[in-house]
Amino acid sequence: MVQRGRGTVIFLLGSESRGGPAGYSAYNASKVAQRAIAESLAHETMHLGVHSAALDVDGAVDSPRIREAMPNVDPDSLVAPERICEEIVRLINQPRNAWTFSTDLRAYDQWRPRVTKKKS
């Protein structure tokens, strides 16, 4: 991509790349590391024409497996795969003079305070 002077690398992450819930420290650390790699790649290659972006998908992605596990879930509380694909295409097609590094997608249900259960 650097040799061609163009291209896009998209890191598909979750909200854990910005910190996550208690009890998931190893997983959260791996996602933070992926975000760091994405940002380092951006600093190393964006001025050479390669767009690097971090796309956070916060929430369950609608799929048959999720629907089976959560049969009564409101479909609007799941992130639609089609919307993820549309966002990827949007990032790929952004003009060089207005590249996005970080964006997030989430269903409306994910916009609520995150709280950890108190110990009894």
Side-chain angles (χ1 to χ4, degrees), residues 2 6 18 21 23-24 35 54 56 64 70-71 88 95 108 110 116:
V2 169
R6 61 184 166 81
R18 294 180 309 253
Y24 293 87
R35 176 174 284 281
D56 293 330
M70 302 164 47
I88 289 170
Y108 80 97
Q110 292 296 320
T116 306

Side-chain angles (χ1 to χ4, degrees), residues 38-67:
E39 191 166 0
S40 292
L41 184 65
H43 286 292
E44 291 173 13
T45 63
M46 283 176 114
H47 69 284
L48 300 171
V50 178
H51 182 190
S52 177
L55 173 57
D56 293 330
V57 178
D58 187 9
V61 177
D62 194 359
S63 68
R65 191 181 96 207
I66 294 296
R67 293 285 185 110

Side-chain angles (χ1 to χ4, degrees), residues 1 5 8-9 12-13 20 26-27 39 41 47 50-51 53 61 66 73-74 81 83-84 92 94 97 108 118:
M1 287 187 210
T8 304
V9 179
L12 191 57
L13 306 169
Y27 178 72
E39 191 166 0
L41 184 65
H47 69 284
V50 178
H51 182 190
V61 177
I66 294 296
V73 70
D74 176 0
R83 302 296 83 82
I84 297 169
I92 290 169
Q94 282 186 321
N97 63 355
Y108 80 97
K118 293 183 179 181

